Amino acid sequence: MRQPLSYPWLDLDVDDPAALAIAVRVDIPDTRAEVPAHRHRKGQLVFALGGGVTCRVPSGLWMVPPHCGVWIPGGMEHSNVATANARIFFVYIEPGAADLPERCCTLSISPLLRELIIELSDRMEDDGARGELLIKILLTELPRMPVQQLHLPISSEPRLNRIAEALAQDPADRSTLAEWANRVALSESSLARLVAKETGLSFGRWRQQLHLIVAIRELASGKSVQQVSGDLGYGSVTAFITMFKKALGKPPAKYLSGIAQNGGSAFVA
């Protein structure tokens, strides 16, 4: 069950041109929360201090594990789903105020930048010299953050989008490529070529990428490795850990602890 996510200030105008940067903290209760598909003029950084957030844009799904952020350029349609008990921050940045990518991407968040975002959100209504200084430093530091990636490419192609929606709803579905091809009225070879053309990945690698996104989100929300392994349909915990380690270089616990300790530097493609 998901509930709509709301801002602490009902009259907040995130597109206010007078503010070069606005940081808003949102604490999620014990139920998942969602911001439906929308867009705004300003670019947005979605940053998770605790729990996880999944951002969806027309070209893919992006995972925001703790201590990392996803940058969404201004004008791009997107939606956000946060895990229960997440602590997230939305940072809205005026176009041209900082040299940031023109595409959606994941950014490592340094300890300094993390503290700047927290402090700026606490001073939401402070437009004095202190607030201006925080914004200036934030706009200087953010473009320096390394660009990382952990996302699921999604195509606007209707059949592939249908498969992505089904797998997102039930990531434990272990249907074969042939079975999926039959569901969308394609031959197995045609579906394999379509997935490769639209995403740059094989079907197996594409589905594994979805599993990684879901796994990190659920682990960040407090689920155990055993629970996540079962939710994703793995026959054993060992099989799940082997997949995770092969893809990301570390077993789940070390991967997440590395992110928390290093401010995102452990976040790899």
Side-chain angles (χ1 to χ4, degrees):
M1 180 179 179
R2 297 171 181 171
Q3 66 175 11
L5 188 152
S6 59
Y7 297 119
W9 298 273
L10 297 179
D11 60 347
L12 176 65
D13 178 10
V14 301
D15 278 336
D16 180 2
L20 293 181
I22 299 171
V24 181
R25 172 177 171 171
V26 181
D27 291 321
I28 308 301
D30 56 3
T31 304
R32 287 189 182 184
E34 177 177 11
V35 180
H38 66 289
R39 67 180 76 216
H40 32 72
R41 187 178 58 81
K42 289 188 177 183
Q44 179 181 12
L45 179 75
V46 181
F47 166 58
L49 188 61
V53 186
T54 301
C55 301
R56 176 164 186 158
V57 299
S59 61
L61 289 176
W62 298 80
M63 179 61 212
V64 191
H67 306 285
C68 291
V70 165
W71 169 247
I72 304 168
M76 179 177 289
E77 183 179 86
H78 60 284
S79 60
N80 303 312
V81 177
T83 61
N85 302 311
R87 298 174 61 200
I88 61 176
F89 295 81
F90 295 145
V91 183
Y92 300 94
I93 297 177
E94 183 72 13
D99 185 18
L100 291 163
E102 297 181 359
R103 59 185 176 86
C104 192
C105 61
T106 302
L107 298 175
S108 296
I109 301 296
S110 68
L112 171 61
L113 189 55
R114 180 176 67 235
E115 294 305 316
L116 281 170
I117 293 172
I118 294 172
E119 181 70 11
L120 190 60
S121 70
D122 288 341
R123 293 175 172 268
M124 177 66 186
E125 299 178 352
D126 181 3
D127 58 357
R130 171 69 172 171
E132 292 179 2
L133 178 59
L134 291 173
I135 291 173
K136 182 177 180 180
I137 299 173
L138 182 143
L139 296 177
T140 300
E141 288 297 312
L142 187 56
R144 297 177 180 175
M145 295 299 101
V147 175
Q148 310 290 346
Q149 290 191 25
L150 183 58
H151 78 290
L152 180 73
I154 292 180
S155 167
S156 59
E157 207 286 328
R159 291 162 295 188
L160 196 55
N161 199 36
R162 176 183 165 189
I163 296 173
E165 290 283 357
L167 285 174
Q169 290 295 321
D170 182 16
D173 188 332
R174 290 291 175 166
S175 298
T176 65
L177 179 62
E179 289 169 332
W180 280 114
N182 184 59
R183 294 180 197 177
V184 296
L186 285 174
S187 68
E188 183 176 354
S189 58
S190 294
L191 179 57
R193 287 195 297 269
L194 180 64
V195 174
K197 176 186 176 183
E198 296 291 330
T199 72
L201 302 172
S202 68
F203 179 79
R205 183 68 183 86
W206 186 59
R207 178 160 56 184
Q208 182 189 83
Q209 194 78 346
L210 173 68
H211 283 175
L212 290 169
I213 291 173
V214 173
I216 294 176
R217 181 189 68 196
E218 297 305 310
L219 290 167
S221 72
K223 280 193 175 183
S224 69
V225 172
Q226 288 82 0
Q227 288 175 304
V228 174
S229 173
D231 290 345
L232 295 179
Y234 282 83
S236 69
V237 174
T238 300
F240 167 70
I241 292 176
T242 298
M243 179 281 295
F244 195 102
K245 186 176 180 180
K246 184 176 180 180
L248 297 176
K250 297 180 180 180
K254 286 188 176 180
Y255 182 80
L256 289 179
S257 65
I259 292 173
Q261 291 171 7
N262 299 315
S265 62
F267 196 53
V268 298

